[in-house]
């Protein structure tokens, strides 16, 4: 095919389908976006060619991002494994001392990058602490070093993938976080046999070896992780142009605003949906952190010894990984988020309810599966919901920062309510998890109904405008962003 055939004459296209395989308009409005003023016009790709392009991006992008999140959750959650390997005894973590360690890792996340190598070094140093104050100090440093990973990854993915391809990719790397639970249990079991080596107990070797693994991943990431689509050297110029134009018309029929203005920050902070979805995110992450930090202890409370408790965490996370991926693909296929958020919260509620009851060991262990499935599988949906329903680079970035910050509150809550003196039933911990899940089950339908009502009003507004011959200029629609009358919220 000739260059002329591949780049036909452009024409103005306002309503754009941004699902996979849909035609992408070429730039005709003079609006520079994502470096497209330095790229050739967007080519017209067949559905097969487009699938190959996204697969090429996935192969380069997703493995390293998934590995980053795996080691991140490995370094966050290994405190639960270390607890069973002598950490509590050697550092005298009596009373609520252990509970104060986990919240120290939860922090505000507004910076779109992270010091991968630094946090690996800090994790390694945790293996050499000798006192409780030293552990507190190192744990705070770990939280600072990891500060930008969450919203940084979400925001970067939103720059590459269209809105109804996003949850599948979030599910891919989130599966890494989920698998970290299984991987952590297996590693802890194997590392426990090193206890006494070099005069260090098993908990020290858990931090040292897993921290060194993070350092290696951080070094690799520095060289292989791509930045933005318009500068991605592994893509041809034409492929870069296609991706940039696909994203340009993804959340706006006339192209998104990219230049920074302080009004974007204000709009994000005053947008009801940012706060509503952030609160829902907190109700989703609370049960996740409860499982991530305390699953080994919860299973140990069933009457199993330390080694068996570590191993029994593995099947729980493996099943959750499978469901995470299935729900991610399914959600993008039906182009909806709410059923998966609500279903995840409901499963978590059932799981925690079983563990709060007087049921036997078998049902309670089954309940941990429901909690892990519900929490981990609903997380990608709520984190895809915000970028789906916000238009404009900077508004989306601020919104994601608020979202992830609220999500980290779940870690603070879970770290405090699972007290050592409440073992083995953890009535307070399970009860508080159910409280927050209940809030999520109430908020989710309210937010969904509000979105639906706004979409209906905008349909009426557009129809009336068409009948009266009223037309909105591209500049007006672009400035309004997700408040534009032609913008439809994802349910």
């Amino acid at each position: 095919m000739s260059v002329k055939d591949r780049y036909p004459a452009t024409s103005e296209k306002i309503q754009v389908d941004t699902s996979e395989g849909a035609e992408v308009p070429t730039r005709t409005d003079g609006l520079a976006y994502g470096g497209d003023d330095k790229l050739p016009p967007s080519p017209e790709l067949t559905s097969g060619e487009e699938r190959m392009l996204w697969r090429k991006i996935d192969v380069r992008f997703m493995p390293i991002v998934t590995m980053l999140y795996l080691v991140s959750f490995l370094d966050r959650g290994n405190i639960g494994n270390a607890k069973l390997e002598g950490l509590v005894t050697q550092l005298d973590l009596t009373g609520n001392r252990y509970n104060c360690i986990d919240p120290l890792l939860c922090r505000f996340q507004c910076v779109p990058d992270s010091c991968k190598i630094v946090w690996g070094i800090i994790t390694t140093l945790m293996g050499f602490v000798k006192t409780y104050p030293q552990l507190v100090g190192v744990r705070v440093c770990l939280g600072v070093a990891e500060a930008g990973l969450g919203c940084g990854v979400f925001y970067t993915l939103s720059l590459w993938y269209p809105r109804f391809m996003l949850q599948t990719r979030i599910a891919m790397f989130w599966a890494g976080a989920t698998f970290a639970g299984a991987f952590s249990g297996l590693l802890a079991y194997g590392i426990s046999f090193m206890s006494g080596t070099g005069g260090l107990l098993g908990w020290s070797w858990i931090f040292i070896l897993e921290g060194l693994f993070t350092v290696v991943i951080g070094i690799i990431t520095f060289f292989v992780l791509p930045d933005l689509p318009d500068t991605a050297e592994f893509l041809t110029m034409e492929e870069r142009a296609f991706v940039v134009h696909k994203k340009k018309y993804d959340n706006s029929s006339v192209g998104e605003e990219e230049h920074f203005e302080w009004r974007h920050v204000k709009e994000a902070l005053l947008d009801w949906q940012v706060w509503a979805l952030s609160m829902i995110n907190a109700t989703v992450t609370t049960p996740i952190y409860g499982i991530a930090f305390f699953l080994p202890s919860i299973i140990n409370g069933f009457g199993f010894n330390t080694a068996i408790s570590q191993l029994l965490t593995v099947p729980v996370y493996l099943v959750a990984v499978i469901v995470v991926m299935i729900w991610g693909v399914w959600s993008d296929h039906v182009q909806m988020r709410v059923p998966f958020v609500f279903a995840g919260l409901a499963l978590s509620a059932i799981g925690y309810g079983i563990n709060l009851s007087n049921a036997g060991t078998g049902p309670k262990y089954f309940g941990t599966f429901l909690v892990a499935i519900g929490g981990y599988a609903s997380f990608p949906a709520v984190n895809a919901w915000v970028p789906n329903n916000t238009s404009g680079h900077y508004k989306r970035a601020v919104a994601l920062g608020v979202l992830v910050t609220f999500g980290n509150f779940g870690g603070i809550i879970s770290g405090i309510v699972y007290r050592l003196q409440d073992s083995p039933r953890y009535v307070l911990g399970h009860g508080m998890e159910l409280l927050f899940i209940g809030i999520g089950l109430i908020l989710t339908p309210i937010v969904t109904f509000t979105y639906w009502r706004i979409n209906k009003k905008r349909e009426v507004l557009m129809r009336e405008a068409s009948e009266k011959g009223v037309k909105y200029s591209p500049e007006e629609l672009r400035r309004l962003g997700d408040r534009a009358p032609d913008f439809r919220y994802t349910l």
Side-chain angles (χ1 to χ4, degrees), residues 83-317:
K83 178 185 177 184
L84 298 184
E85 298 297 338
L87 175 69
V88 173
T89 303
Q90 187 170 7
L91 297 188
D92 190 29
L93 302 185
T94 56
N96 292 326
R97 282 186 165 187
Y98 176 81
N99 298 82
C100 294
I101 296 298
D102 292 325
L104 296 174
L105 196 60
C106 301
R107 60 277 175 194
F108 291 91
Q109 299 205 19
C110 298
V111 183
D113 60 10
S114 184
C115 302
K116 283 82 70 172
I117 299 174
V118 173
W119 100 52
I121 294 173
I122 293 172
T123 301
T124 302
L125 293 177
M126 286 177 62
F128 297 99
V129 299
K130 302 299 182 183
T131 65
Y132 174 68
Q134 290 176 359
L135 180 61
V136 170
V138 177
R139 195 74 172 172
V140 169
C141 293
L142 181 61
V144 172
E146 286 190 6
L149 179 65
C151 64
V153 170
F154 298 140
Y155 179 64
T156 302
L157 289 177
S158 73
L159 296 178
W160 280 82
Y161 294 99
R163 64 198 306 199
F164 295 125
M165 296 174 64
L166 187 59
Q167 186 173 333
T168 300
R169 275 68 189 184
I170 292 179
M172 286 181 185
F173 82 79
W174 184 245
T178 312
F179 184 71
F183 193 45
S184 182
L186 285 173
L187 277 178
Y189 175 75
I191 295 173
S192 66
F193 293 102
M194 293 182 63
S195 184
T197 303
L200 300 174
L201 294 182
W203 68 267
S204 293
W205 285 111
I206 288 175
F207 290 134
I208 293 170
L209 295 182
E210 294 182 4
L212 291 174
F213 180 58
T214 300
V215 171
V216 173
I217 297 300
I219 294 173
I220 295 173
T221 301
F222 182 80
F223 292 101
V224 303
L225 185 64
D227 189 9
L228 299 173
D230 65 301
T231 59
E233 295 183 356
F234 72 99
L235 297 178
T236 66
M237 294 292 286
E238 291 75 18
E239 290 170 336
R240 299 181 203 177
F242 182 87
V243 174
V244 170
H245 280 281
K246 190 87 167 179
K247 279 300 303 173
K248 180 176 183 178
Y249 294 94
D250 182 30
N251 279 32
S252 173
S253 62
V254 293
E256 276 194 331
E257 279 194 323
E258 188 183 33
H259 68 282
F260 175 76
E261 294 182 19
W262 281 108
R263 66 179 178 85
H264 297 140
V265 177
K266 181 180 177 180
E267 288 171 0
L269 295 178
L270 295 180
D271 195 339
W272 68 272
Q273 62 162 332
V274 172
W275 298 100
L277 293 180
S278 295
M279 286 188 286
I280 292 175
N281 192 39
T283 69
V284 169
T285 57
T286 301
I288 292 176
Y289 279 112
I291 282 291
F293 291 155
F294 294 98
L295 183 59
S297 297
I298 292 172
I299 294 177
N300 185 243
F302 296 162
F304 300 103
N305 62 36
T306 298
I308 298 299
S309 297
Q310 303 280 27
L311 289 177
L312 285 177
T313 64
V314 177
V316 177
Y317 288 111

Side-chain angles (χ1 to χ4, degrees), residues 55 65 81 102 281 331 354 367 421 424 426 463 488:
R55 191 176 301 118
V65 172
N81 302 109
D102 292 325
N281 192 39
S331 178
I354 293 173
Q421 60 264 39
Y426 297 105
R463 184 166 59 250
R488 297 294 178 268

Side-chain angles (χ1 to χ4, degrees), residues 41-113:
S42 175
E44 293 184 357
L45 303 183
T46 65
S47 59
E49 289 173 330
E50 185 176 352
R51 282 195 299 271
M52 290 180 63
L53 173 58
W54 291 120
R55 191 176 301 118
K56 180 179 181 180
I57 295 172
D58 287 340
V59 169
R60 179 61 182 269
F61 204 96
M62 297 312 302
I64 191 63
V65 172
T66 301
M67 188 60 67
L68 268 180
Y69 232 70
L70 186 150
V71 296
S72 172
F73 257 72
L74 201 63
D75 293 339
R76 299 184 205 182
N78 56 16
I79 190 79
N81 302 109
K83 178 185 177 184
L84 298 184
E85 298 297 338
L87 175 69
V88 173
T89 303
Q90 187 170 7
L91 297 188
D92 190 29
L93 302 185
T94 56
N96 292 326
R97 282 186 165 187
Y98 176 81
N99 298 82
C100 294
I101 296 298
D102 292 325
L104 296 174
L105 196 60
C106 301
R107 60 277 175 194
F108 291 91
Q109 299 205 19
C110 298
V111 183
D113 60 10

